[in-house]
Amino acid sequence: MRFSIDAHAIGRHLTGNEVYVRSLLEGFASLDKKSEFIAYTSVRGAEELVPERIRTRRVSENPFLRLGLDLGLRVRSDAPDLLHVQYTAPLYCPAPVVVSIHDVSYLEHPEFFPMARRVQLKISVERTVRRAAKILTLSEFSRQGIARSYGLDPDKVAVVPAACSAIFKPVSRPKAKAFVEGRFQVAHPFILCVGDLQPRKNPLGLIRAFEELVGNCPELPHHLVMVGKDTWYASKVHLAAENSPFGNRIHFTGYVDDAELLQLYNACDIFVFPSYYEGFGIPILEAMACGRAVACANTSAMPEVAGSAAVLFNPHSTEEMMVSMRDLLRNAELRARKERLGQQNASRFSWRGTAKQTLDVYYEVAGIRAKQGQRATIMGRR
């Protein structure tokens, strides 16, 4: 079998999308020694981030060229048994399509997206869904949302959960704290949040909750560290921090790599994930795998991912978010229990398992295509 994967996200700091495709490729390389895999990358150096066993081919970094012409021509030339994409397939694709749709926030919460982006997603993803042989998603929450939004039989959508990288694990806390102080100039105990600075991640709500926490509990020495790259929305977040009475205790790191993120998780006292909407929420598992207590929103797929291992709060309630952080920081017994439960919960998920389930879908789709080809050959002979 020959399987092609649109891996243009690799090397472009596209956070969740990049983690997803890189982790799948690593799993494929270790699990399936017989099939041929082709990864289509779009930036120089991305091939170095792909396992050696997987062949890479370059496609245009420009999305209009990539989806309008380049990717389709590559697929025609390579003749794979299928093409796996995230959200959007090329306009022309001579192979069956497997599409991963992590969530449909662009339909259910269009206010979180610039107009051009939500219109583009609405049109291109629907076209991809209609022609896809199989749709993959990360949670039961997203499966129901996709089926409802596009009027599909839910059986056409397979839930294949994500996981966190094996790099995320407990390491020496003193060394982690020393690293964070040297690299990010944060010498105080801190609360950590990970997520691009965009409205869906609720960074303004977290800043307000942090202000209430420090105002109501002046004995707490904690700072707030927000990890994630800037987006079109970032200026509002930075302005809110600058205008905060505790702005000197709010830090932005921008994008960080996994090695730096490992140290940040291990150095923080607690991890907070206040997002309004998530199709999964990999940072929840990353923090848990590092042994950190987690407080996260009680909406969308996050309770499904966190289970009983996290303290849940309403992300629209500044008070609830503040109380969740306060309780974890003040109550050592609660914090220790959530740390223990979190590690157990994170161990339920693995990228190897995700890759195995994804390969099962590949073989299902490729098998259907092979049977159709055999049937067409027999009919032609008649």
Side-chain angles (χ1 to χ4, degrees):
M1 293 289 183
R2 176 181 293 168
F3 302 127
S4 289
I5 300 95
D6 180 1
H8 77 273
I10 293 180
R12 298 181 58 203
H13 298 170
L14 296 181
T15 56
N17 289 341
E18 180 170 356
V19 169
Y20 178 78
V21 69
R22 283 184 62 182
S23 301
L24 282 183
L25 294 177
E26 290 169 3
F28 296 161
S30 65
L31 285 168
D32 191 334
K33 303 298 184 182
K34 294 182 179 180
S35 297
E36 180 183 359
F37 296 91
I38 304 171
Y40 301 116
T41 60
S42 64
V43 295
R44 188 179 302 277
E47 62 277 2
E48 298 175 7
L49 303 174
V50 175
E52 289 185 5
R53 185 177 129 44
I54 293 177
R55 185 154 59 100
T56 60
R57 297 195 69 180
R58 184 74 62 82
V59 293
S60 175
E61 188 174 0
N62 183 305
F64 298 102
L65 288 176
R66 183 180 72 251
L67 296 172
L69 181 66
D70 206 10
L71 185 54
L73 292 178
R74 292 292 193 193
V75 172
R76 185 177 69 178
S77 173
D78 294 330
D81 291 286
L82 60 81
L83 172 68
H84 184 183
V85 302
Q86 293 189 71
Y87 289 98
T88 306
L91 289 175
Y92 164 70
C93 185
V97 170
V98 172
V99 59
S100 290
I101 300 175
H102 305 319
D103 62 64
V104 285
S105 53
Y106 52 92
L107 296 176
E108 298 187 333
H109 289 282
E111 68 274 15
F112 295 152
F113 295 81
M115 181 177 292
R117 178 61 172 161
R118 67 174 181 254
V119 170
Q120 177 258 311
L121 284 169
K122 183 177 180 180
I123 295 172
S124 64
V125 178
E126 179 163 10
R127 178 182 55 80
T128 301
V129 164
R130 300 303 175 198
R131 69 149 301 171
K134 195 73 174 183
I135 300 166
L136 303 181
T137 195
L138 304 177
S139 63
E140 180 61 28
F141 168 81
S142 289
R143 186 174 81 97
Q144 295 295 333
I146 292 166
R148 181 174 59 249
S149 296
Y150 293 107
L152 301 175
D153 179 347
D155 288 341
K156 188 179 179 180
V157 187
V159 177
V160 181
C164 67
S165 169
I167 190 177
F168 295 108
K169 58 188 177 182
V171 300
S172 167
R173 291 205 73 200
K175 290 182 179 179
K177 290 179 178 179
F179 176 89
V180 171
E181 181 175 358
R183 174 68 177 84
F184 301 107
Q185 291 74 57
V186 180
H188 296 80
F190 66 93
I191 299 162
L192 180 66
C193 178
V194 175
D196 292 348
L197 300 184
Q198 56 171 294
R200 180 165 63 94
K201 302 294 185 179
N202 194 18
L204 297 182
L206 177 57
I207 289 174
R208 289 192 295 269
F210 178 72
E211 291 172 350
E212 285 203 11
L213 174 69
V214 177
N216 293 335
C217 307
E219 74 281 5
L220 291 176
H222 291 77
H223 286 216
L224 174 63
V225 176
M226 304 181 73
V227 174
K229 69 179 182 180
D230 284 352
T231 70
W232 60 276
Y233 188 73
S235 60
K236 293 184 178 181
V237 183
H238 288 293
L239 182 61
E242 291 171 8
N243 292 335
S244 170
F246 306 105
N248 63 329
R249 294 168 70 166
I250 301 173
H251 309 265
F252 299 93
T253 68
Y255 174 85
V256 303
D257 61 27
D258 282 355
E260 294 173 319
L261 189 54
L262 171 68
Q263 303 300 323
L264 285 158
Y265 280 131
N266 276 275
C268 74
D269 278 2
I270 63 171
F271 177 76
V272 182
F273 200 61
S275 184
Y276 290 123
Y277 184 106
E278 293 289 332
F280 191 77
I282 290 176
I284 294 171
L285 296 182
E286 292 174 343
M288 288 180 172
C290 291
R292 300 277 59 82
V294 172
C296 70
N298 63 3
T299 60
S300 56
M302 287 173 281
E304 190 177 333
V305 173
S308 61
V311 175
L312 302 179
F313 57 79
N314 178 355
H316 298 277
S317 170
T318 303
E319 176 74 11
E320 282 194 29
M321 198 185 311
M322 183 275 292
V323 168
S324 297
M325 293 189 290
R326 183 198 65 193
D327 289 350
L328 282 175
L329 292 172
R330 281 182 162 181
N331 189 331
E333 182 179 349
L334 172 65
R335 188 167 65 252
R337 183 167 72 252
K338 293 301 182 182
E339 289 172 351
R340 183 177 66 255
L341 290 173
Q343 286 186 287
Q344 294 172 359
N345 181 63
S347 69
R348 296 190 299 120
F349 303 85
S350 76
W351 278 114
R352 185 178 179 85
T354 301
K356 172 63 170 62
Q357 292 180 67
T358 303
L359 282 172
D360 289 343
V361 171
Y362 285 7
Y363 277 98
E364 175 191 342
V365 171
I368 292 172
R369 187 193 192 198
K371 290 179 181 178
Q372 290 173 340
Q374 292 171 359
R375 190 178 303 115
T377 300
I378 292 171
M379 292 298 292
R381 289 172 180 169
R382 290 178 182 174

